[in-house]
Amino acid sequence: MQDYKLIACDMDETALTSDLRLTERTINAMEKAVSAGKHVVFTTGRSYRLTKPYIDMVRGMRYALIGTGATGLDLTEGKTLFRHDIDEETIKWILAASAGYDILPLIFIRNDVLCPSWIAERAEEFHVGKYAESYRRYLDPVENPFPVFMENPQPVEKILLLFTNSMEKEMIYGEIQNLPVSFTSVSDYSLEINANGVSKARGLKLLCSHLGISLSECIAVGDAQNDMELIRNAGLGLAVANSKKALLDIADQVVPSNDEDGVAVAIEQYLL
């Protein structure tokens, strides 16, 4: 059997249960892998502030890929290994196209997220109700992020636009789809937008270069559209059983669902 050196784990609906927990079995498996000299890496679309509470649960976790692969972090050294941002002018175009629509924007800037003050109260309307408590606990909203950004434009790690209905999503997508960006995930009610060329797979490749290992020595496990390239490129691509069908079709193997400790099983069976 291949001696894998790293496992890249998506978080939501993969390493985390449906109610956003990291189970004791999963934590124990991750820590056992770290103690054995393996790398366990959260590879997530989340921002740093929304990832850190889970990083803190796993002793010895050193690296993380956040913002859908836009940023690589050395958690032990407190260093940013790489960051690929969307330029300010492109973000201005996106915000201008979104003006006048009922949109929930999350603008990832460095370690923060610029978002509106009503984010938790209206999370259910925007189909992200289960994250409301995380938004309350870990984010610092502003009254209106659009003018705040326009007054102090900065490079953006990622922008996530959430919608109450698919028709408005399609209208905005039509206006901005030709911009020089990567749409790392497109669903009925959301647009996940990164800098051109950014993906979880590219982030893992850059981290592997830093570590002096190859992608063939990596396991990746995920559940959704923004994990597909990652699953294809890893030495072993795993899908949790609750994954989208497209991901199940391309995965090398399927492990139990996120509510059945699928990531723990992946570590126990394939990494250790």
Side-chain angles (χ1 to χ4, degrees):
M1 179 180 287
Q2 169 75 44
D3 180 22
Y4 295 107
K5 297 180 178 178
L6 181 153
I7 186 165
C9 306
D10 173 53
M11 291 180 65
D12 292 287
E13 305 299 331
T14 301
L16 304 185
T17 60
S18 297
D19 57 356
L20 304 180
R21 291 181 298 108
L22 199 59
T23 68
E24 183 176 354
R25 181 181 176 186
T26 299
I27 292 170
N28 288 340
M30 288 179 168
E31 291 183 345
K32 186 176 180 180
V34 170
S35 295
K38 310 291 187 178
H39 297 290
V40 177
V41 181
F42 282 140
T43 307
T44 178
R46 289 174 172 240
S47 68
Y48 177 70
R49 292 186 70 174
L50 293 175
T51 306
K52 188 178 185 299
Y54 299 97
I55 291 170
D56 291 344
M57 294 179 188
V58 184
R59 287 173 296 180
M61 181 179 284
R62 178 158 186 175
Y63 299 101
L65 299 171
I66 61 172
T68 319
T71 301
L73 301 175
D74 182 330
L75 304 164
T76 302
E77 297 291 331
K79 293 180 180 178
T80 298
L81 301 175
F82 58 84
R83 186 189 301 273
H84 299 289
D85 289 330
I86 309 170
D87 67 89
E88 301 97 311
E89 292 305 312
T90 299
I91 295 296
K92 287 180 181 179
W93 273 100
I94 293 170
L95 296 183
S98 303
Y101 290 92
D102 188 19
I103 293 174
L104 170 51
L106 289 88
I107 306 170
F108 294 38
I109 302 175
R110 303 303 172 182
N111 292 330
D112 206 354
V113 178
L114 189 59
C115 59
S117 56
W118 44 262
I119 183 171
E121 287 69 25
R122 297 190 63 196
E124 195 71 44
E125 293 177 56
F126 287 89
H127 312 280
V128 287
K130 72 178 183 179
Y131 299 107
E133 183 56 32
S134 294
Y135 297 155
R136 287 190 187 96
R137 292 183 64 183
Y138 302 118
L139 300 183
D140 296 319
V142 298
E143 184 174 348
N144 187 340
F146 284 36
V148 170
F149 181 85
M150 292 299 190
E151 290 169 11
N152 183 27
Q154 303 174 56
V156 167
E157 180 180 75
K158 166 182 160 178
I159 181 168
L160 180 62
L161 300 179
L162 301 174
F163 302 82
T164 59
N165 65 80
S166 58
M167 184 176 68
E168 289 194 351
K169 185 272 296 184
E170 288 297 329
M171 293 175 68
I172 298 300
Y173 187 38
E175 291 190 44
I176 65 176
Q177 63 182 330
N178 293 322
L179 291 174
V181 295
S182 290
F183 290 90
T184 42
S185 181
V186 178
S187 75
D188 288 342
Y189 304 107
S190 68
L191 294 172
E192 181 182 73
I193 307 166
N194 285 90
N196 211 13
V198 165
S199 68
K200 290 184 179 182
R202 182 185 182 189
L204 181 58
K205 184 176 181 180
L206 291 172
L207 178 59
C208 284
S209 179
H210 174 76
L211 295 173
I213 64 176
S214 68
L215 283 171
S216 65
E217 296 175 293
C218 297
I219 300 169
V221 56
D223 77 296
Q225 178 185 348
N226 63 12
D227 298 312
M228 290 188 69
E229 188 180 352
L230 182 70
I231 298 301
R232 285 196 187 99
N233 282 270
L236 180 65
L238 305 176
V240 285
N242 54 289
S243 296
K244 304 296 185 185
K245 184 180 184 303
L247 197 71
L248 291 169
D249 288 344
I250 66 167
D252 297 312
Q253 299 289 340
V254 177
V255 294
S257 75
N258 64 316
D259 290 323
E260 299 171 306
D261 293 311
V263 165
V265 171
I267 293 171
E268 294 160 359
Q269 185 168 341
Y270 298 107
L271 189 62
L272 297 173

